[in-house]
Amino acid sequence: GAGVSQSPSNKVTEKGKDVELRCDPISGHTALYWYRQSLGQGLEFLIYFQGNSAPDKSGLPSDRFSAERTGGSVSTLTIQRTQQEDSAVYLCASSFSPNQPQHFGDGTRLSIL
Amino acid sequence: QQQVKQSPQSLIVQKGGISIINCAYENTAFDYFPWYQQFPGKGPALLIAIRPDVSEKKEGRFTISFNKSAKQFSLHIMDSQPGDSATYFCAAGQGGKLIFGQGTELSVKP
C-alpha cells in the first residue's frame, strides 16, 4: 500500500512478556518516528530515525524500550518485560525528510494483562 | 520541559458554525506547527501546517493563525460539518521530533 503500515493492529500479552511491534514506512521516506498514545491522551514522542544517523532516543521511557531500523526501511519497536502501564496505542510515522509532514499509520493497540 | 498546551479539551459547535482551537508553546526553537485530525481507531492525519515566517495559512475551510510574539497558534474550521467531528491535535516541531498538545474532541451538531 501507499501508506505507513503497522503490525499487528492489536496485541494482547501477559505482564512480563516481551513484544515486538513492526512499522513499514512510506517508500522513499528517510525519517521514521515512533509515538505512544495512552487512552484519551496526546501523542508522546518515543524515538526518531533519520537516514544512517544515530537515532534520537530521548523519548524512550525506560531501558525496557528499544527500537531498530533495518536497511533504512522497516522498523521494530521492542518492549521487554512488559508492564501494565505500557498499555497504549503505539503509532509509527514517516516523512520524506526531517520537519516535513509526518504521515501516520493506524497504530498497534497493545494491552498488557 | 518542552510543552504544548491545547484548549479547549472538548468543543461542541452547531453545523455551519466556526470551530476554534488554541495552542501555546514555550520553546522558541520550534519551527514547524502542524495540526492533525484523528478519528477513533485511526492514526492522526495531517490537516494543515505552518512555519513561523507567516502569520496565517488557509486551506479550504481550515485556517491556521500564528502569533510568534505570543507563542500561540490556532486552528479555525469554517462552516463546520458533522463529518468534522473528531479529535484535533496541534503539535510543534524542531529537527523532526513533534511535541503534541493533549487534543480537542470536537462535536459538530446537525
Side-chain angles (χ1 to χ4, degrees):
Chain A
V4 176
S5 178
Q6 292 188 245
S7 61
S9 54
N10 287 281
K11 177 73 176 178
V12 181
T13 192
E14 294 179 347
K15 175 182 172 181
K17 301 287 189 183
D18 298 351
V19 295
E20 287 189 352
L21 313 179
R22 177 186 168 102
C23 174
D24 280 279
I26 293 172
S27 178
H29 281 192
T30 64
L32 186 148
Y33 315 80
W34 284 98
Y35 295 88
R36 178 169 69 175
Q37 185 173 29
S38 301
L39 185 64
Q41 298 296 310
L43 283 75
E44 173 190 13
F45 168 79
L46 295 177
I47 187 169
Y48 155 50
F49 296 88
Q50 169 54 35
N52 296 321
S53 302
D56 177 349
K57 303 180 181 180
S58 60
L60 294 179
S62 77
D63 59 8
R64 297 186 295 104
F65 288 72
S66 63
E68 63 177 19
R69 188 179 186 191
T70 54
S73 181
V74 172
S75 177
T76 302
L77 177 69
T78 301
I79 309 173
Q80 295 179 309
R81 304 181 304 280
T82 52
Q83 303 294 313
Q84 286 189 333
E85 62 262 28
D86 299 334
S87 296
V89 177
Y90 289 82
L91 291 157
C92 175
S94 70
S95 65
F96 184 72
S97 63
N99 260 11
Q100 291 298 309
Q102 294 184 21
H103 300 271
F104 283 81
D106 286 337
T108 294
R109 183 175 300 275
L110 177 63
S111 300
I112 310 299
L113 302 179
Chain B
Q1 176 161 358
Q2 297 179 342
Q3 281 191 336
V4 176
K5 296 182 180 179
Q6 183 173 345
S7 63
Q9 280 189 308
S10 62
L11 181 60
I12 299 174
V13 174
Q14 290 297 123
K15 179 182 174 181
I18 303 173
S19 304
I20 302 174
I21 304 170
N22 301 296
C23 284
Y25 62 97
E26 298 176 353
N27 188 345
T28 56
F30 288 137
D31 58 6
Y32 177 63
F33 302 89
W35 284 89
Y36 283 85
Q37 178 189 59
Q38 186 177 31
F39 292 104
K42 296 294 186 181
L46 180 67
L47 266 180
I48 187 172
I50 200 168
R51 298 194 186 270
D53 52 346
V54 298
S55 60
E56 185 174 284
K57 182 175 181 180
K58 182 177 181 179
E59 291 185 1
R61 295 185 295 111
F62 301 95
T63 299
I64 296 180
S65 297
F66 185 81
N67 185 330
K68 187 174 180 179
S69 61
K71 294 188 284 185
Q72 295 176 346
F73 59 110
S74 60
L75 175 69
H76 294 228
I77 305 174
M78 311 300 287
D79 188 26
S80 299
Q81 299 297 312
D84 297 332
S85 298
T87 300
Y88 292 80
F89 293 96
C90 64
Q94 186 238 344
K97 182 169 75 175
L98 289 178
I99 306 299
F100 282 82
Q102 291 299 96
T104 296
E105 189 171 349
L106 172 64
S107 178
V108 181
K109 299 299 185 184

